Amino acid sequence: MVMLRLFANTVMAFLADMCRIDLGAPEYITPSGELYDGYTAYCKQRKERPLDANIFGMELKKVGIEKDRIRNSGIREYYYLGVQLLFNLRGQNQALL
């Protein structure tokens, strides 16, 4: 029953299939728009309706993934901390200033 609920939630399925999570790893950060775009593409591929961005963020927070503004190249942008898309693991995110 727990597995059924896990995969009935598109956010949890996306995290399980497309992301690596390590809440203690400072290098595991992803721009919020990039993570949400990955999620919406994942839902489209599975022919499922994605959640709105604000609900997506609330679902991430339930599993401990926080959102923060970080300065990158002089611009403050929102990032999700503790998560990285699997296809981004080969080329680590840009150094943050």
Side-chain angles (χ1 to χ4, degrees):
M1 184 62 115
V2 172
M3 286 300 282
L4 179 61
R5 275 188 299 198
L6 174 70
F7 289 103
N9 180 328
T10 56
V11 176
M12 296 304 126
F14 167 71
L15 291 174
D17 292 346
M18 305 301 292
C19 299
R20 176 138 331 140
I21 299 170
D22 185 342
L23 301 177
E27 69 275 11
Y28 277 37
I29 61 169
T30 304
S32 60
E34 187 177 313
L35 192 65
Y36 185 71
D37 289 347
Y39 165 71
T40 57
Y42 176 80
C43 288
K44 183 177 180 180
Q45 178 185 13
R46 292 177 47 154
K47 296 180 175 42
E48 296 187 42
R49 183 173 176 238
L51 299 174
D52 290 336
N54 60 334
I55 305 297
F56 174 74
M58 287 190 277
E59 290 295 313
L60 293 177
K61 192 168 187 164
K62 287 180 185 177
V63 295
I65 298 171
E66 298 287 334
K67 189 176 187 180
D68 198 9
R69 279 184 94 174
I70 299 173
R71 187 172 302 278
N72 185 8
S73 302
I75 300 170
R76 289 180 53 140
E77 299 177 295
Y78 282 102
Y79 286 83
Y80 283 110
L81 311 176
V83 62
Q84 203 168 47
L85 291 164
L86 288 176
F87 61 81
N88 282 348
L89 288 175
R90 290 187 191 96
Q92 294 295 322
N93 288 335
Q94 297 174 346
L96 300 177
L97 304 175

